[in-house]
Amino acid sequence: MTPVEHADGSYDVIVVGSSFSATFFLHRYLERNPGRQRILVLEKGPFRDSGWQIEHQRPADHPAHVYYEKAGAHSFNWVFSVGFGGGSNCWVGNTPRFTPNDMRLKSLYGVGRDWPISYEEIEPYFTQTEAIMEISGPSRPYWPQSKPYPLPAHKVSDADRLMMQASPEFHMEAPTARASRDTATRPACCANGVCSICPIGAKFTVLNSMMAPYEDPRVSVMVNAEVHSIDMAGGQARGVTFLHNGREKRVQGDLVVLAANSIFNPVIMMRSGLESPALGRYLHCQLAFTAEILLDGVDHFNGSSLLGCHNFSQYDGAFRSERGSMVIETHNMGRLRVEEGRWRQVMPVFMKVEEIPQLENRVVLPEESGGKPIAEFSGFTPYARKTYDMAHDLLAQAFAPLPVEGIEVAPILGSSTHVHGTTVMGDDPTDSVLDRDLIDHRVRNLVVLGAGAFPNGAQVNPTLMLSSLALRTADRLSASQV
Ligand SMILES: Cc1cc2nc3c(=O)[nH]c(=O)nc-3n(C[C@H](O)[C@H](O)[C@H](O)COP(=O)(O)OP(=O)(O)OC[C@H]3O[C@@H](n4cnc5c(N)ncnc54)[C@H](O)[C@@H]3O)c2cc1C
Ligand code: SF4
């Protein structure tokens, strides 16, 4: 790919961002629209290849906190990566699915919201995303799945194997974009656990596996091009205003696709004068914490990747009307024990608890133009905290099949790499920004991709879902054009 220095005239599509959302959208849009199209991709950050990332020991030029200010009662850090390929460079590649019940929380448990689309509608797109990312996954997953995973699951540790034997319906190998064997584009994962800059390219990234849309002759890519706002006229998006290497520029476009994540998408929309009662609101993430399960006579750590298994024993049930669902990940990286001969008799676990999005948590524009966006967060609700307060007992139940000597639960983490909400999808324009196809309710040639659309951010990782939604949106748009 050779980034362009000049953008001129008018484009059929302008795409803002170059990470999962943008790339999966482009992949499908180009497939479905084989005719002559002019597509411009504007990416705020520079192009940093994996050599640069390893040499500098970081996935991007700057940490996320450089790009926004924090406000509200809870000083919380929202983590993401700015640059070509975005979060695909720094993510660690965990790809569990949302389950059918995650998408109908209100109907089943009377809390939160239902999604405007069902599991059955998104399921075919999960399988397509899993095929593109070449996911290694379990043969008997926790969710309904119409096609098996493309790659076999990773090898699990002795402790995980015992858990799988005792609790096969709840404890299974974690699906992941870290290859379990060599593929055409990626080598097998070697389990060194520094996945945010995977040194051997075993983890799926846009750079190592999905550059085709950016090399397509219909697509021009401009890096160091920060979109400021959408140019609006007559209730339609007409193009965008952006800064390229510090100079203000404008381009026209028939369709504008924002894929700049849950912090920047609403900011671009607010700067464009767009209004919606839900715009910028319902910013949320999972409540996350770690723990150590101390084992008596059983070894851990001999799995073949960063993560071993998922445990879903605390995931679903009537309790979700009162407290959040919890997913448990077992990790193959972590502190060893110090007792002679018992070094590996400990299992590090990572928990994510479902939260109900709150109206007051939001992204707002700064008072001064040119200032940074502000992320306001008032803290986790009693719904998520109640599950955390019960963590010791819930973990004891989950790991009952093992000889457990002790459980040490750590404090709640003060940051999240999963940023959900701010451009929520729904059927009611008074309480959502986007329709079920991720098109703005009011501006019908504006598409807004990413986890911003999530009405509730469940407890599993978001990227499989948001990439699948991007494929679906490109399909829906293409179908409506024929
Ligand atoms: C350390 C870490 C580990 C993670 N691990 C996992 C995991 O294991 N599993 C999982 O599911 N998720 C994981 N995530 C989350 C995952 O990275 C995000 O869900 C995903 O990257 C979101 O994709 P996106 O395309 O919507 O947005 P992003 O990846 O955030 O990309 C947004 C893009 O837009 C660009 N941009 C921003 N503003 C502008 C602008 N104004 N103009 C032009 N371009 C702009 C950015 O530079 C970037 O390229 C992890 C995140 C982090 C930080
Ligand atoms: S565990 Fe190592 S090889 Fe595997 S994806 Fe992570 S960094 Fe890459």
Side-chain angles (χ1 to χ4, degrees), residues 45 57 103 105 111 145 158 187 225 251 281 303 323 335 356 373 401 404 423 433 452 457:
Q57 288 292 295
M103 301 177 71
L105 210 54
V111 293
Q145 187 160 327
D158 296 352
V251 277
R281 294 190 174 270
R323 63 174 179 85
R335 189 182 67 91
I356 302 294
V404 173
T423 55
V433 180

Side-chain angles (χ1 to χ4, degrees), residues 100 108 131 135 160 206 274 309 463 479:
L108 289 175
I135 300 299
D160 269 326
V206 169
L274 301 186
C309 285
T463 306

Side-chain angles (χ1 to χ4, degrees), residues 13-292:
V13 187
I14 299 172
V15 177
V16 181
S18 60
S19 183
F20 294 100
S21 297
T23 310
F24 278 79
F25 174 86
L26 274 170
H27 167 82
R28 181 53 47 84
Y29 190 88
L30 290 165
E31 244 175 27
R32 292 277 188 265
N33 296 277
R36 216 173 123 75
Q37 292 264 332
R38 285 192 86 212
I39 299 178
L40 177 66
V41 175
L42 296 171
E43 166 52 55
K44 175 182 171 108
F47 184 95
R48 301 296 190 198
D49 64 15
S50 63
W52 183 98
Q53 294 177 40
I54 291 161
E55 188 188 335
H56 292 81
Q57 288 292 295
R58 57 178 193 266
D61 286 47
H62 307 293
H65 65 78
V66 164
Y67 297 100
Y68 66 93
E69 302 287 350
K70 291 187 280 184
H74 197 284
S75 173
F76 199 77
N77 290 314
W78 306 91
V79 188
F80 47 83
S81 197
V82 168
F84 186 89
S88 83
N89 296 320
C90 70
W91 81 319
V92 303
N94 299 323
T95 55
R97 290 184 174 197
F98 278 56
T99 67
N101 288 0
D102 296 339
M103 301 177 71
R104 45 186 194 208
L105 210 54
K106 183 77 176 175
S107 319
L108 289 175
Y109 303 117
V111 293
R113 296 183 186 220
D114 285 352
W115 284 55
I117 57 170
S118 65
Y119 184 87
E120 289 67 32
E121 283 172 279
I122 198 68
E123 201 283 333
Y125 294 98
F126 284 157
T127 66
Q128 293 166 35
T129 304
E130 286 160 354
I132 294 169
M133 291 186 179
E134 297 184 293
I135 300 299
S136 313
S139 52
R140 287 197 304 166
Y142 181 63
W143 35 76
Q145 187 160 327
S146 57
K147 284 193 181 154
Y149 283 110
L151 297 186
H154 276 279
K155 172 180 172 286
V156 299
S157 74
D158 296 352
D160 269 326
R161 191 167 33 77
L162 288 176
M163 283 294 295
M164 284 171 62
Q165 282 162 2
S167 182
E169 71 281 33
F170 291 128
H171 200 89
M172 57 213 61
E173 302 101 328
T176 173
R178 298 180 301 273
S180 60
R181 60 167 161 72
D182 292 356
T183 75
T185 50
R186 286 150 42 209
C189 172
C190 62
N192 60 35
V194 287
C195 311
S196 278
I197 47 163
C198 178
I200 63 165
K203 169 192 83 173
F204 169 92
T205 68
V206 169
L207 270 66
N208 69 20
S209 301
M210 221 172 165
M211 286 300 286
Y214 302 104
E215 281 152 5
D216 189 297
R218 293 168 287 177
V219 178
S220 304
V221 182
M222 192 179 261
V223 294
N224 299 311
E226 178 183 359
V227 171
H228 176 267
S229 52
I230 304 157
D231 300 329
M232 296 291 302
Q236 292 248 305
R238 303 291 183 193
V240 299
T241 299
F242 64 102
L243 287 175
H244 181 227
N245 293 328
R247 289 187 56 201
E248 187 175 301
K249 297 184 177 172
R250 279 186 178 187
V251 277
Q252 293 173 355
D254 295 336
L255 175 70
V256 174
V257 179
L258 299 184
N261 85 29
S262 307
I263 301 290
F264 299 116
N265 283 341
V267 166
I268 294 168
M269 294 168 79
M270 287 186 251
R271 283 199 202 119
S272 316
L274 301 186
E275 287 177 5
S276 154
L279 182 58
R281 294 190 174 270
Y282 301 110
L283 172 69
H284 66 286
C285 64
Q286 300 108 351
L287 180 156
F289 64 101
T290 61
E292 284 182 341

Side-chain angles (χ1 to χ4, degrees), residues 106 112-116 275-283 356-361 421-435 441-442 452-456:
K106 183 77 176 175
R113 296 183 186 220
D114 285 352
W115 284 55
E275 287 177 5
S276 154
L279 182 58
R281 294 190 174 270
Y282 301 110
L283 172 69
I356 302 294
Q358 302 297 305
L359 187 74
E360 74 264 21
N361 296 328
T422 72
T423 55
V424 168
M425 71 200 280
D427 290 331
D428 177 1
T430 65
D431 203 21
S432 59
V433 180
L434 310 176
D435 71 9
H441 279 303
R442 296 162 181 83
F454 291 7
N456 65 312

